[in-house]
């Protein structure tokens, strides 16, 4: 207090207030993201894949504006069945007289959505199983990893077909069938990384300071396995899109929606192979191959950035 005034004494020589822990965390995240992007840009194949994915995503998001939401309607189709490519219909028409180009663009919405959701479900299950099996060990880990081994030796597509057959035909069924049958690879990878992380000294210090199982798994293990999970997710999306196309081609998808696999099934039923109508078969097939390749290129680039020892070609 100053004499006679009663005002508090302030330290005019004090410097600026130190940033909070939350501010420092945001700065570190921004710096990490910028460093990741600088490394990612050095991978030419990854940039090509990212550009292709941007085009596919743009086509899917703008489909209601570019081709219209009624493009999949069978009633009132604008053309005649199985027309050849022309100025009016660039890819021709399907067996109902619908514009094939519009159907391919509209089908990207379903194929990408199912691929993303199925991959997210698969990676989530695999991450949960991998972290818990690597952390708890003992009898729990033995039982869980034996179940994982059983899923690994069983053909994923056969299991997905079995699930899709006994359940109702819908997009949710396809997502569930793919997600619950393709997680074992992620679980194996995450468990191995979890074991490596928990062997580090700071995990022992966390336990000594009273850190419980949840604290160690969420605050220490999960952040260290997230780079692996991110790379695995980008690779799983391409596999999920291919699996969705296969199920739809076999007639196990949702018959009320348009997808690339469903278009291939329609082309097969219309006899496009025997009649040589390749404009019906090739576009959805190329779309499936293109988006799967794009996600694979991005996944390999991400994997190389997060783990430079892999030495992936740039």
């Amino acid at each position: 207090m100053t004499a006679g005034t009663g005002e508090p004494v302030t330290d005019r020589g004090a410097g600026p207030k130190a940033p909070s822990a939350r501010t420092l965390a945001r700065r570190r995240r921004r710096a990490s993201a910028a460093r990741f992007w600088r490394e990612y840009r050095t991978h030419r194949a990854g940039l090509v894949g990212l550009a292709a994915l941007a085009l596919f995503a743009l086509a899917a998001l703008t489909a209601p504006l570019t081709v219209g939401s009624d493009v999949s309607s069978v009633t009132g189709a604008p053309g005649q069945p199985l027309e050849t490519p022309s100025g009016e219909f660039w890819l021709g028409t399907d067996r109902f007289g619908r514009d094939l180009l519009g159907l391919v663009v509209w089908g990207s919405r379903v194929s990408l959505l199912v691929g993303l959701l199925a991959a997210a479900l698969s990676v989530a299950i695999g991450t949960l199983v991998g972290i818990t099996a690597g952390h708890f060990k003992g009898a729990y880990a033995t039982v869980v990893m034996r179940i994982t081994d059983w899923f690994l030796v069983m053909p994923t597509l056969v299991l997905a077909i079995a699930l899709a057959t006994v359940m109702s035909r819908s997009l949710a069924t396809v997502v569930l069938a793919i997600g619950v049958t393709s997680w074992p690879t992620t679980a194996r990878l995450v468990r191995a990384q979890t074991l490596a992380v928990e062997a580090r000294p700071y995990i022992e210090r966390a336990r000594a300071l009273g850190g419980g199982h949840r604290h160690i798994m969420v605050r220490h293990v999960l952040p260290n396995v997230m780079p692996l999970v991110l790379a695995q997710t980008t690779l799983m999306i391409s596999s999920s899109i291919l699996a969705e196309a296969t199920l739809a081609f076999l007639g196990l998808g949702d018959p009320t929606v348009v997808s690339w696999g469903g278009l291939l099934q329609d082309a097969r039923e219309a006899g496009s192979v025997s009649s040589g109508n390749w404009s019906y078969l090739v576009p959805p097939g190329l779309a499936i191959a293109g988006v799967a390749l794009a996600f694979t290129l991005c996944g390999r680039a991400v994997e190389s950035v997060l783990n430079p020892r892999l030495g992936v070609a740039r």
Side-chain angles (χ1 to χ4, degrees):
M1 307 287 287
T2 58
T5 63
E7 297 179 357
V9 177
T10 58
D11 186 4
R12 292 187 174 89
K17 184 179 178 181
S20 63
R22 183 174 298 179
T23 301
L24 291 175
R26 284 198 297 265
R27 289 178 182 176
R28 286 196 297 267
R29 285 195 292 267
R30 285 196 296 266
S32 178
R35 185 167 57 252
F36 173 85
W37 176 241
R38 284 196 303 269
E39 289 293 326
Y40 187 93
R41 286 186 303 177
T42 62
H43 294 263
R44 291 188 296 271
L47 290 177
V48 171
L50 186 61
L53 289 181
L55 291 177
F56 280 112
L58 181 63
L61 292 174
T62 60
L65 300 176
T66 55
V67 300
S69 57
D70 59 344
V71 68
S72 60
S73 177
V74 177
T75 59
Q80 298 299 317
L82 300 178
E83 286 189 34
T84 57
S86 61
E88 183 179 3
F89 304 109
W90 290 5
L91 297 178
T93 61
D94 70 346
R95 58 176 178 160
F96 302 110
R98 298 176 297 182
D99 182 17
L100 268 176
L101 178 59
L103 291 175
V104 171
V105 173
W106 190 263
S108 64
R109 298 169 63 87
V110 173
S111 296
L112 290 175
L113 177 63
V114 172
L116 290 170
L117 292 178
L121 177 61
S122 172
V123 172
I125 296 174
T127 302
L128 177 63
V129 171
I131 290 179
T132 55
H135 176 78
F136 289 109
K137 305 179 180 66
Y140 170 80
T142 301
V143 173
V144 168
M145 295 317 295
R146 294 298 77 77
I147 296 174
T148 303
D149 292 338
W150 182 84
F151 273 94
L152 279 174
V153 299
M154 289 292 293
T156 301
L157 184 59
V158 174
L159 291 176
I161 291 173
L163 282 177
T165 302
V166 300
M167 299 175 67
S168 61
R169 294 173 61 184
S170 64
L171 291 182
T173 296
V174 174
V175 171
L176 186 64
I178 298 172
V180 301
T181 57
S182 58
W183 56 266
T185 302
T186 303
R188 276 288 183 184
L189 294 173
V190 172
R191 178 178 180 268
Q193 184 69 10
T194 300
L195 292 174
V197 171
E198 296 214 354
R200 297 172 183 172
Y202 69 86
I203 298 295
E204 292 296 330
R205 289 196 294 269
R207 289 196 180 99
L209 293 173
H213 297 299
R214 183 171 178 269
H215 173 82
I216 291 175
M217 288 189 291
V218 175
R219 298 297 298 273
H220 296 293
V221 177
L222 184 59
N224 282 280
V225 303
M226 279 306 295
L228 175 64
V229 171
L230 175 61
Q232 185 66 14
T233 301
T234 56
L235 295 174
M236 280 300 304
I237 293 174
S238 61
S239 301
S240 299
I241 291 175
L242 291 173
E244 184 277 331
T246 303
L247 293 177
F249 178 75
L250 295 175
L252 300 175
D254 189 344
T256 63
V257 299
V258 176
S259 68
W260 291 333
L263 289 176
L264 289 176
Q265 183 203 22
D266 289 342
R268 179 181 59 84
E269 292 181 351
S272 296
V273 177
S274 58
S275 63
N277 187 8
W278 299 109
S279 61
Y280 202 163
L281 282 169
V282 172
L286 287 179
I288 295 170
V291 73
L293 178 61
F295 273 113
T296 300
L297 292 176
C298 290
R300 295 301 183 189
V302 169
E303 196 174 20
S304 179
V305 171
L306 298 177
N307 188 4
R309 291 176 298 178
L310 295 174
V312 177
R314 300 184 177 187

